[in-house]
Amino acid sequence: MWLLVVSLAVAAEEEEASDVAVAIASTLIGSISICMMLFYLLNWPDADIRRYSYDVISATCSIFCAVLLFDTFQDTLEVYLLDGRGIIVNIVANFAHQLVWFTVMQFTLAHFAMAHKSPEDRKEGINGEGTD
C-alpha cells in the first residue's frame, strides 16, 4: 500500500511527455515489435513461410538500398554539377542521369539473362553445367 502511495505521488510530480518524446518512444516500440515479428516468422516451423519471409525481407532491403543509392547519386549531381545552373541544364542533366541508370539496368538484365551467349550456352548455364 505504501508503494502505491509513493508511486502516485511521484507520478503526480512528473512532467508531461513532449510530442518528440512520444514519437521517439512510439518508433522504438514499433521497431522492436517488427523485429520480434521477423524473428517469429524466420523461425517458423514451415519451410515455405520461412522462405517467403526471407524473400520479402530481401526485396525490402533491395528496394531500400536502391532508393538510398539513387538519392546519393542525385544529391551528388545536384551539389557538384547543377548548383546555380539554369532550368534547361537541370532538365538535360536529370534526363542524362535517368538514361545512365536505364542503360546500367539494361546491361545488368542482359548479363543475368545470358543474352550475350548462344542458345546452347544458355541451356548449359541454366542446367548448371557451365557457369561462365
Side-chain angles (χ1 to χ4, degrees):
M1 183 67 176
W2 180 79
L3 185 59
L4 180 63
V5 173
V6 171
S7 62
L8 288 175
V10 169
E13 295 174 4
E14 286 184 11
E15 295 179 16
E16 192 170 319
S18 68
D19 291 340
V20 174
V22 171
I24 291 171
S26 300
T27 303
L28 182 62
I29 290 173
S31 299
I32 291 171
S33 299
I34 288 173
C35 287
M36 289 172 56
M37 180 188 65
L38 290 176
F39 281 126
Y40 188 69
L41 287 173
L42 294 175
N43 291 311
W44 195 271
D46 186 14
D48 288 336
I49 299 290
R50 288 194 310 266
R51 184 183 58 158
Y52 289 123
S53 298
Y54 280 117
D55 288 345
V56 168
I57 292 170
S58 176
T60 303
C61 289
S62 296
I63 291 169
F64 184 70
C65 289
V67 168
L68 285 176
L69 186 67
F70 176 79
D71 195 38
T72 300
F73 279 106
Q74 184 67 27
D75 289 345
T76 303
L77 180 71
E78 289 176 1
V79 167
Y80 290 111
L81 296 177
L82 300 178
D83 197 23
R85 300 261 164 54
I87 188 72
I88 299 298
V89 174
N90 277 308
I91 291 171
V92 170
N94 283 317
F95 272 114
H97 186 212
Q98 183 267 336
L99 185 63
V100 167
W101 282 113
F102 183 75
T103 305
V104 167
M105 180 189 69
Q106 291 299 320
F107 279 113
T108 303
L109 288 174
H111 174 73
F112 284 117
M114 295 185 273
H116 60 286
K117 295 187 176 187
S118 68
E120 293 82 19
D121 290 340
R122 282 188 224 149
K123 283 184 181 179
E124 289 177 9
I126 291 172
N127 293 333
E129 297 168 3
T131 57
D132 190 35

